[in-house]
């Protein structure tokens, strides 16, 4: 069983005891998303910590996008709730990469792939993505690769 999933369950129990409604609701939602991912596809399976990290990253991104949409619609209270949920989920993600660290990884991947032009972006992304999973948004990675190849 994945250690991250066990930690989420233990923290849910703690949140229930502490009557922390935001944390409780968020952790329940995350565990539900993980469960859904586990039964998706042709056969049920247990997710690894890396796969759970990918689910958490996706959930944080959804919360941030929802908060932005609520702000645009003038619903500040809902936006703040979404941001609070994103903050809870982000506690379970690895430490984000700095721009300098990302640049080092991208430079090494370009050298490894032998990339010379923007047409080689796919090759570089295949090398970079597993290294930065859950630590940087894909759009930021793509922008860094594109900038280096241009």
């Amino acid at each position: 069983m994945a250690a991250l999933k066990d930690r989420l369950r233990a923290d849910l129990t703690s949140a229930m005891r502490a009557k922390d409604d935001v944390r409780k609701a968020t952790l329940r939602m995350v565990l539900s998303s993980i469960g859904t991912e586990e039964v998706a596809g042709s056969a049920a399976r247990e997710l690894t910590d890396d796969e759970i990290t990918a689910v958490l990253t996706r959930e944080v991104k959804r919360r941030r996008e929802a908060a932005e949409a609520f702000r645009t619609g003038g619903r500040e209270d809902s936006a703040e709730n979404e941001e609070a949920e994103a903050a809870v989920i982000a506690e379970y993600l690895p430490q984000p990469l700095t721009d300098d660290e990302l640049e080092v990884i991208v430079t090494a991947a370009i050298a490894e792939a032998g990339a010379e032009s923007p047409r080689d972006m796919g090759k570089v992304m295949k090398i970079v993505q597993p290294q930065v999973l859950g630590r940087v948004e894909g759009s930021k990675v793509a922008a860094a690769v594109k900038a280096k190849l241009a």
Side-chain angles (χ1 to χ4, degrees), residues 12 14-27 88:
L12 173 61
S14 299
M16 292 167 90
R17 288 187 180 132
K19 298 187 185 331
D20 185 345
D21 293 333
V22 172
R23 181 172 287 280
K24 178 177 69 174
T26 303
L27 292 176
V88 170

Side-chain angles (χ1 to χ4, degrees), residues 79-150:
E80 288 173 6
N81 186 39
E82 293 291 333
E83 287 174 343
E85 289 180 3
V88 170
I89 299 168
E91 292 174 19
Y92 298 93
L93 292 173
Q95 190 69 25
L97 288 174
T98 64
D99 290 340
D100 293 338
E101 292 171 325
L102 178 60
E103 186 176 339
V104 169
I105 291 171
V106 168
T107 303
I110 289 172
E112 183 180 333
E116 297 173 358
S117 70
R119 290 184 302 189
D120 299 324
M121 188 169 168
K123 292 180 197 173
V124 177
M125 290 296 286
K126 283 182 184 176
I127 296 169
V128 173
Q129 283 295 67
Q131 296 177 37
V132 300
L133 181 67
R135 298 180 70 191
V136 180
E137 278 192 26
S139 59
K140 190 173 181 181
V141 174
V145 171
K146 192 179 289 185
K148 279 284 192 184
L149 292 175

Side-chain angles (χ1 to χ4, degrees), residues 19-73:
K19 298 187 185 331
D20 185 345
D21 293 333
V22 172
R23 181 172 287 280
K24 178 177 69 174
T26 303
L27 292 176
R28 279 184 173 162
M29 178 274 310
V30 165
L31 287 167
S32 174
S33 295
I34 291 168
T36 301
E37 190 75 21
E38 287 177 333
V39 298
S42 59
R45 61 192 171 84
E46 189 78 24
L47 295 182
T48 65
D49 279 344
D50 287 340
E51 292 169 322
I52 291 173
T53 299
V55 171
L56 294 175
T57 303
R58 187 172 57 235
E59 291 299 327
V60 167
K61 184 177 179 187
R62 284 183 186 159
R63 296 295 162 288
R64 290 190 180 132
E65 289 172 352
E68 187 178 313
F70 282 131
R71 278 222 167 71
T72 303

